[in-house]
Amino acid sequence: MGSMTKIEPLGAVRERVTAELRQEIIAGSLRPGDRLVERELAERLGVSRVPVREAIRALVAEGFVHFETPRRTVVRRLTPTDVKELFELREALEVYAAGLAASRATPEDLAEVQELLDRAAAATEAEDAEAITDVNSRLHDRIVAMAGNSLLTEALEPVAGRLRWMTRRNEEWPQLLVEHRELYEAIASGDPDRARAHALTHVRTNYRSTVRQLFGDEELP
């Protein structure tokens, strides 16, 4: 008997399609204002229209796309207010997380962050934008995890994708690497005040760089 073709559950297809479209938006393959047409996406991704429709709804909830009209869905155009509000949230939560991480990080935690920094350095040297975005996001996720507060992690989870989308526009990669190394050293010192101070500087510098890349100097505060 020949082997039977394994049928992928609808939920798994929906999650896969959502992840693929989300990554295309973050990477810039789908740009702000681009229209998402169910039929075209279904054909390109090799799935039915049902998981595509559900994926689009998920991306609307995550803030990546929106309905211009009931029949027209497009990738969201970021505004200065969008960026400001998300970075205000980062400032509140990630700065707090850095202080907790400084007091709670284990040697194993710090070794993992050091490994991520080494990968970030290699990606920066290669000018690999996708790898830089991925490893920097993992580094921030690891610092939040080191804080040891599940509610803090849950609070950031709904906006993690949008933050990655925005920070992907910051191409001042060598400066980012310097800031992340300084943040690591501050956390490794075990001094919560020092860690919070470096995290605050990092978030605010990253905010200005992101605004500059998206909108130009005229939108800087």
Side-chain angles (χ1 to χ4, degrees):
M1 292 179 60
S3 61
M4 295 181 63
T5 301
K6 186 176 180 181
I7 299 176
E8 190 176 10
L10 179 59
V13 177
R14 180 188 65 242
E15 291 300 319
R16 175 168 59 82
V17 171
T18 303
E20 289 182 19
L21 293 177
R22 183 193 299 115
Q23 182 55 37
E24 288 184 14
I25 294 171
I26 290 172
S29 301
L30 286 172
R31 302 179 62 81
D34 283 354
R35 187 179 180 188
L36 303 184
V37 180
E38 287 182 14
R39 174 180 50 78
E40 294 176 358
L41 292 173
E43 290 176 359
R44 176 162 68 82
L45 298 174
V47 299
S48 72
R49 293 176 64 170
V50 173
V52 171
R53 185 178 304 123
E54 293 179 352
I56 289 174
R57 289 173 180 164
L59 293 172
V60 169
E62 292 179 19
F64 284 101
V65 304
H66 73 110
F67 297 113
E68 279 193 340
T69 70
R71 299 181 62 84
R72 182 181 176 85
T73 308
V74 300
V75 178
R76 184 174 178 176
R77 294 178 176 85
L78 294 171
T79 68
T81 299
D82 292 329
V83 179
K84 182 174 183 291
E85 290 179 348
L86 274 171
F87 272 87
E88 285 174 346
L89 184 64
R90 277 193 70 186
E91 186 172 308
L93 298 184
E94 291 191 12
V95 171
Y96 180 59
L100 290 178
S103 61
R104 297 176 178 176
T106 66
E108 292 76 18
D109 290 329
L110 295 174
E112 288 184 30
V113 175
Q114 183 62 66
E115 181 182 350
L116 288 170
L117 284 170
D118 291 342
R119 290 169 56 188
T124 300
E125 178 68 23
E127 297 185 350
D128 185 337
E130 186 172 346
I132 291 169
T133 302
D134 180 66
V135 73
N136 285 344
S137 296
R138 290 176 184 270
L139 189 148
H140 279 276
D141 290 346
R142 192 73 200 97
I143 291 173
V144 172
M146 285 160 56
N149 186 312
S150 61
L151 290 178
L152 184 60
T153 302
E154 291 172 9
L156 277 166
E157 186 174 354
V159 298
R162 270 185 287 169
L163 284 171
R164 186 172 180 177
W165 184 23
M166 289 184 187
T167 55
R168 169 68 175 78
R169 272 52 192 169
N170 179 3
E171 296 184 354
E172 297 175 9
W173 299 325
Q175 178 61 28
L176 276 175
L177 182 60
V178 169
E179 292 173 22
H180 284 156
R181 282 174 168 160
E182 291 176 346
L183 179 57
Y184 163 77
E185 291 169 2
I187 291 172
S189 75
D191 184 342
D193 289 338
R194 179 182 171 189
R196 283 191 291 266
H198 277 279
L200 180 60
T201 298
H202 172 55
V203 171
R204 289 182 174 176
T205 300
N206 195 210
Y207 168 67
R208 293 177 64 85
S209 298
T210 301
V211 169
R212 186 180 299 110
Q213 290 290 331
L214 286 171
F215 311 111
D217 290 336
E218 64 273 11
E219 291 294 341
L220 285 172

